[in-house]
Amino acid sequence: MAKSKDKDTTKGTGTIALNKRARFEYHIDQRYEAGVALQGWELKALRAGRINFGDGYAIVIKGEIFLVGASIPPLISASTHVIAEDRRTRKLLLHRKEIDQLIGAVERKGYTLVPTAMYWKNGKVKVEVGLARGKQEHDKRDTAKQRDWQIEKQRTMRSHNRTS
């Protein structure tokens, strides 16, 4: 009996990009899944994996949330009749209740909205937005120390298991 192919490879689902810098720079308290209003050429570029949102962040403008600073460079083969702006501001699509919660946290408590991941879900592009607080320098050192300790612990466990 032949195995069927995974839907992940045929539909183009999965992770498009991760913002690893956001996890290093911020304490992320809550995460929200948001849709993104994109143009056709942007979707083609995302299918090719062309995105950089390490410098991206989300802001509140007139009661709506927008993704700013994310760069999607256009493909050469994309449509030529559209003038492609790679760093344009893109609207994030959230429920009104979620938008109100985010606005309250940003304006009253001083949080920042940071995109942490972009991925495909049911054929649509989704952005995971984190409600974040900035880390101090000593917090960043602790994070790096913890990561190094986890790696060393894994190495020790592997070498112990080989000898047993």
Side-chain angles (χ1 to χ4, degrees):
M1 184 182 225
K3 291 184 180 179
S4 63
K5 290 185 177 179
D6 288 341
K7 292 181 181 177
D8 292 346
T9 58
T10 57
K11 281 283 201 180
T13 59
T15 303
I16 298 170
L18 291 174
N19 189 354
K20 293 179 182 177
R21 190 172 136 211
R23 291 191 184 106
F24 183 73
E25 298 280 337
Y26 298 97
H27 289 287
I28 299 173
D29 291 342
Q30 288 182 321
R31 298 172 192 269
Y32 292 89
E33 181 181 76
V36 188
L38 297 172
Q39 296 177 350
W41 66 269
E42 292 172 322
L43 285 172
K44 287 183 180 182
L46 287 177
R47 288 191 200 284
R50 296 176 56 114
I51 182 166
N52 178 15
F53 70 173
D55 296 332
Y57 58 94
I59 59 171
V60 178
I61 301 173
K62 295 182 182 176
E64 295 178 337
I65 298 179
F66 292 90
L67 181 64
V68 179
S71 173
I72 302 176
L75 294 174
I76 296 171
S77 62
S79 66
T80 57
H81 65 280
V82 177
I83 299 171
E85 184 182 344
D86 66 334
R87 287 199 175 265
R88 76 178 185 89
T89 302
R90 295 164 182 91
K91 185 175 180 179
L92 294 179
L93 308 172
L94 290 156
H95 292 285
R96 174 53 53 191
K97 182 179 174 183
E98 293 174 330
I99 292 173
D100 292 341
Q101 288 174 352
L102 290 173
I103 290 173
V106 168
E107 290 181 353
R108 286 186 218 108
K109 298 178 185 173
Y111 280 92
T112 304
L113 294 174
V114 180
T116 57
M118 184 176 279
Y119 52 92
W120 295 100
K121 183 176 180 182
N122 297 330
K124 293 179 175 48
V125 176
K126 301 290 182 178
V127 173
E128 184 180 80
V129 179
L131 196 57
R133 292 178 289 125
K135 283 186 181 179
Q136 301 294 324
E137 190 64 36
H138 61 85
D139 292 333
K140 293 178 189 177
R141 284 195 298 265
D142 289 342
T143 303
K145 193 183 295 183
Q146 285 290 345
R147 185 180 61 236
D148 292 343
W149 166 242
Q150 290 296 331
I151 292 170
E152 188 61 35
K153 188 166 66 170
Q154 288 294 327
R155 285 183 187 150
T156 306
M157 293 298 288
R158 267 192 244 124
S159 67
H160 183 296
N161 288 340
R162 286 184 196 151
T163 58
S164 298

